[in-house]
Amino acid sequence: MPITVDIDVMLARRKMSVGELANRVGITPANLAVLKNGRAKAVRFTTLAALCEVLECQPGDLLRWEPGGAEDTEDSAARGVGHP
């Protein structure tokens, strides 16, 4: 998927551990690791909002879109979207 998750960048900037963030957001460290490592299929807006509140950032500081990956092409084909 062409969505990159930059939670680790914000954790480093805030000098915060994964365990502390998970505790303050109210999710398990395992679920935070799934999200942080880009393996999540979805994220609830309430979770995203809590992450932004704790990390004092905007959603765009945590998530970004990078086009052109192999999975991007596969996802587009599955949705019936063609590339020029």
Side-chain angles (χ1 to χ4, degrees):
M1 177 176 294
I3 300 295
T4 300
V5 181
D6 288 327
I7 291 175
D8 53 346
V9 172
M10 294 307 296
L11 282 170
R13 288 182 182 168
R14 302 297 187 253
K15 295 179 174 59
M16 188 181 298
S17 70
V18 171
E20 180 183 352
L21 179 60
N23 187 47
R24 291 179 61 184
V25 169
I27 61 176
T28 66
N31 284 341
L32 181 57
V34 168
L35 179 58
K36 185 176 85 68
N37 295 323
R39 295 189 316 260
K41 298 292 181 190
V43 60
R44 292 179 183 206
F45 281 167
T46 54
T47 301
L48 184 58
L51 288 166
C52 290
E53 182 178 354
V54 171
L55 293 170
E56 298 178 352
C57 66
Q58 294 295 313
D61 296 326
L62 301 176
L63 304 171
R64 61 190 157 89
W65 180 68
E66 291 186 353
E71 291 179 3
D72 186 27
T73 303
E74 292 170 12
D75 287 345
S76 294
R79 291 189 312 265
V81 177
H83 291 281

